[in-house]
Amino acid sequence: MKVQNPSGPGKLEEVSEEMRLLSNENTLRAGYDVTFYNLDIAFDARGKSLSGWVEIRGTALRDMDSLQIDLHSNLKMDELRFQNRKGTQIDFSRKYRAVVFAVPQRIRTGEKFSLHVKYHGKPVIADNPPWKGGTVWKRDNNKNAWLGVACETEGASVWFPCKDLTNDEPDSAVMRYTIPDNGLTAVGNGTLEEVKVAGGNRSFTWRVHYPINLYNLTYYVGDFVKIEDRYVGVEGDELQLSHYVLRENEVKAREHFKKVKENIRVYEEVWGPYAFYRDGFKLVESPYAGMEHQSAIAYGNKYKLDLYGLEDYIMLHESGHEWFGNAISAADLADVWLQEGITTYGESVYLERQYGQSIALRHLLMYRMMIKNKRPLVGPVGLRYFDFKDGDVYVKGAWVLHTLRYQLQNDSLFFNILRTFYQENSLKVTDSKQLVNTVNRLSGENYDWFFEQYLYRNTVPLLEYQIENNTLYYRWIDVDTAFDKLRIAVKIEGVDEFYSLIPATAIKKVSLPKGAGTDVVSFGNSYTLFGYNSSNKLSGLYQ
Ligand SMILES: [Zn+2]
């Protein structure tokens, strides 16, 4: 199986001025740290609109006279007030999503403050959620409203005012969602604190007790039935499971969702304990395929065991994100492979443990065929860059880890590295450099050459080889000269065993036993990510 290996990096997807502004960490946004969001939002399903108040609490990181928050231009800001809903009203100016204003008095370094925004409007409707996201306004088969939001690429400011930068997670959040009192339920992340009926409306108050990245803060409205379950974790803690499914699917869901406990158990065993015990865990039936909304996973996979008849892909993948994506979040989507690639590799680790190595390999080889190598795995910083059409952050990301595992030749070290990376960065934002540092520190060797190739270049190493007079000549092309330690497995026709080779940019050779075929070579595609080309000139160039 050959790996596609284009000669030059592809062009980046166009990033709009709106997203450039949104992603730019200017001084107006870098000057403060958000500690808490309090969302108090009412939904009008018929009008596809929402309205309410949002409180943003922050701490000044430097003296500030002016600052910026973000809100999509579809949404009208009715009031902006300082310190409380009745506090001084603040004038503001808007460009795209950037809302810029001077505060009534200078906020000193270390000082806490709060902003209160009253707003309303019709938020962006998702074209193709969750990939091209926004809000979703659907009806179930019984014509009940069925609502949700998915905004990983678009940013949370498509539906509420916030400091919409991926590197600033609040420490906790409260969401009060108000809907007509007609039997439907509004679900948020974390735990349900209160249900209140007043004036023909019903409000549901949810609390998240942990840091949460903003695209994970979410809502679901629907004719939901709650399914309670419990799980005892690897360290003996009890985790409350409270799934919410459409009434018509209750029977199916009760049976199907039992499996998620197995998903959680294996991930806990492999990566370490689930990070959000106080918030519980739930799957919520969503009007789109899925999303890793922290402790409130969007589930829209129609109760299928679509992975080899054994597992539900959405349950397996999205619950895996609780470790990589939610507990650990990429500080910038440039490093989103840390979320998608490690979670995708986690699927194969899960399959390996539950069903054996051959099914895990089948899974990985399926992903290998999808690798495009159009662009480096690590994307441009500061652009909120995440191109869903290019799945390399998933599939190549998984293969970078698989390749590293073979390179280390030591599974306990490999898993210790990922467990340590998880534990040390849990409830924080992080980046690729942190992972590379963890690999170098725990292995006691420098793997910069490895990550330089696989994360920051779009091509994968290309092996050029020739068999002549029972000798295999080989070398890497299109790699840095420092790339000379990667171990690959090669199998030659007529020879029983795999050869373990460590090529370099200089031509190397190895003698083959008599009877070896001259041009039939198969490579250890199950272990390492690289491409290969035969050549008829290497023997002549060898010296
Ligand atoms: Zn994912």
Side-chain angles (χ1 to χ4, degrees):
M1 193 186 316
K2 287 210 176 188
V3 172
Q4 300 180 49
N5 222 7
S7 54
K11 272 198 185 137
L12 298 176
E13 285 286 294
E14 195 71 28
V15 176
S16 65
E17 193 189 350
E18 177 181 355
M19 294 313 271
R20 282 175 188 274
L21 266 177
L22 182 71
S23 316
N24 175 17
E25 187 167 13
N26 57 28
T27 51
L28 296 175
R29 300 161 96 203
Y32 68 103
D33 170 43
V34 176
T35 54
F36 178 72
Y37 285 100
N38 188 354
L39 277 53
D40 184 359
I41 296 172
F43 297 88
D44 172 11
R46 197 158 297 162
K48 297 184 178 168
S49 68
L50 42 80
S51 60
W53 281 93
V54 169
E55 177 188 2
I56 304 170
R57 278 185 215 159
T59 305
L61 301 174
R62 61 181 75 141
D63 289 359
M64 288 191 305
D65 296 308
S66 298
L67 54 100
Q68 177 188 331
I69 58 172
D70 309 288
L71 183 66
H72 196 279
S73 54
N74 275 24
L75 298 166
K76 185 170 184 307
M77 271 181 56
D78 304 312
E79 293 174 37
L80 170 60
R81 292 189 182 265
F82 194 57
Q83 305 300 36
N84 60 63
R85 284 188 191 180
K86 299 219 163 73
T88 311
Q89 187 145 349
I90 302 172
D91 291 330
F92 52 86
S93 65
R94 299 183 69 171
K95 182 173 188 191
Y96 298 109
R97 300 193 198 185
V99 180
V100 173
F101 49 91
V103 284
Q105 74 232 26
R106 172 171 281 199
I107 308 173
R108 303 277 175 195
T109 307
E111 213 174 292
K112 295 182 190 335
F113 64 95
S114 71
L115 301 164
H116 298 255
V117 183
K118 185 168 186 259
Y119 78 113
H120 76 277
K122 294 181 179 222
V124 171
I125 293 178
D127 275 350
N128 180 24
W131 300 281
K132 218 165 174 312
T135 57
V136 183
W137 307 82
K138 279 198 173 172
R139 300 210 167 255
D140 68 14
N141 290 331
N142 302 314
K143 304 272 182 284
N144 295 303
W146 188 21
L147 317 181
V149 61
C151 56
E152 182 173 8
T153 47
E154 291 74 15
S157 52
V158 292
W159 70 282
F160 72 91
C162 55
K163 177 184 164 188
D164 204 355
L165 269 179
T166 40
N167 67 5
D168 192 359
E169 298 184 350
D171 305 326
S172 63
V174 166
M175 297 139 271
R176 184 164 79 144
Y177 296 142
T178 300
I179 56 174
D181 184 23
N182 56 7
L184 304 192
T185 304
V187 179
N189 313 74
T191 53
L192 180 61
E193 289 208 319
E194 188 182 61
V195 180
K196 235 182 181 165
V197 180
N201 290 321
R202 188 177 284 258
S203 298
F204 299 80
T205 304
W206 296 84
R207 182 182 291 272
V208 174
H209 301 84
Y210 301 91
I212 181 167
N213 69 45
L214 289 194
Y215 75 80
N216 264 317
L217 262 182
T218 201
Y219 64 84
Y220 308 87
V221 174
D223 182 23
F224 294 133
V225 174
K226 181 164 142 182
I227 299 175
E228 303 250 33
D229 203 349
R230 61 187 271 281
Y231 159 85
V232 178
V234 290
E235 294 189 344
D237 299 318
E238 188 169 315
L239 181 65
Q240 183 64 40
L241 309 180
S242 323
H243 309 305
Y244 287 83
V245 300
L246 290 183
R247 194 171 300 281
E248 64 202 57
N249 294 326
E250 182 184 353
V251 175
K252 263 188 284 189
R254 271 190 192 282
E255 197 49 41
H256 193 77
F257 283 179
K258 284 181 186 163
K259 212 171 179 66
V260 83
K261 292 191 284 188
E262 198 61 7
N263 300 152
I264 294 170
R265 183 185 62 77
V266 172
Y267 287 135
E268 282 206 313
E269 285 172 5
V270 175
W271 307 134
Y274 175 70
F276 313 110
Y277 267 82
R278 251 185 107 184
D279 280 354
F281 174 90
K282 53 188 173 284
L283 299 164
V284 188
E285 189 158 5
S286 54
Y288 49 87
M291 181 50 77
E292 62 261 30
H293 298 141
Q294 185 170 309
S295 79
I297 303 282
Y299 176 82
N301 206 27
K302 302 188 165 58
Y303 307 96
K304 293 179 298 197
L305 294 179
D306 53 348
L307 268 188
Y308 318 113
L310 299 169
E311 292 291 329
D312 182 317
Y313 170 74
I314 290 293
M315 271 161 61
L316 188 63
H317 179 84
E318 307 300 352
S319 61
H321 272 306
E322 293 284 25
W323 283 260
F324 296 98
N326 302 353
I328 285 187
S329 305
D332 188 296
L333 291 185
D335 285 310
V336 76
W337 84 275
L338 291 173
Q339 307 188 170
E340 298 301 351
I342 303 181
T343 298
T344 301
Y345 193 63
E347 296 163 18
S348 77
V349 172
Y350 180 93
L351 294 171
E352 182 179 333
R353 288 175 71 105
Q354 297 292 84
Y355 307 105
Q357 206 169 28
S358 74
I359 196 130
L361 263 182
R362 175 180 164 190
H363 192 61
L364 284 169
L365 291 172
M366 183 258 301
Y367 282 147
R368 184 173 176 138
M369 287 191 288
M370 294 158 68
I371 295 172
K372 295 193 179 110
N373 294 316
K374 276 199 308 199
R375 289 183 279 275
L377 212 47
V378 173
V381 175
L383 292 179
R384 206 185 173 87
Y385 189 83
F386 186 174
D387 175 12
F388 265 107
K389 294 190 292 298
D390 184 349
D392 276 11
V393 291
Y394 296 76
V395 293
K396 186 173 176 180
W399 266 91
V400 170
L401 294 170
H402 191 58
T403 301
L404 178 68
R405 183 175 172 183
Y406 185 72
Q407 180 67 20
L408 292 171
Q409 296 279 302
N410 180 343
D411 269 7
S412 70
L413 173 60
F414 173 76
F415 285 107
N416 185 32
I417 285 168
L418 287 174
R419 281 177 74 94
T420 305
F421 180 61
Y422 169 70
Q423 279 156 12
E424 289 181 349
N425 295 283
S426 201
L427 306 180
K428 291 183 202 156
V429 296
T430 188
D431 58 24
S432 295
K433 297 268 185 304
Q434 288 296 329
L435 178 65
V436 176
N437 288 344
T438 309
V439 171
N440 290 348
R441 175 161 52 90
L442 295 188
S443 69
E445 285 176 49
N446 189 324
Y447 277 89
D448 290 357
W449 59 274
F450 178 93
F451 290 104
E452 178 61 34
Q453 176 69 42
Y454 283 110
L455 299 186
Y456 300 101
R457 293 183 177 212
N458 68 310
T459 53
V460 298
L462 199 56
L463 188 81
E464 199 176 36
Y465 72 93
Q466 181 185 10
I467 297 175
E468 178 99 352
N469 299 327
N470 279 346
T471 305
L472 171 66
Y473 298 87
Y474 57 96
R475 70 172 171 190
W476 289 129
I477 52 172
D478 203 18
V479 297
D480 200 271
T481 49
F483 192 82
D484 60 358
K485 297 178 198 69
L486 187 77
R487 183 192 308 277
I488 61 170
V490 178
K491 185 140 179 35
I492 316 290
E493 186 199 41
V495 180
D496 283 340
E497 282 170 28
F498 272 105
Y499 281 80
S500 179
L501 303 179
I502 299 180
T505 49
I507 302 166
K508 292 185 174 181
K509 68 170 184 172
V510 59
S511 301
L512 304 172
K514 284 215 162 55
T518 53
D519 55 18
V520 184
V521 181
S522 62
F523 294 94
N525 282 324
S526 307
Y527 310 108
T528 324
L529 185 62
F530 67 100
Y532 47 89
N533 269 336
S534 67
S535 158
N536 57 13
K537 59 177 187 205
L538 290 194
S539 59
L541 293 172
Y542 181 78
Q543 29 184 283

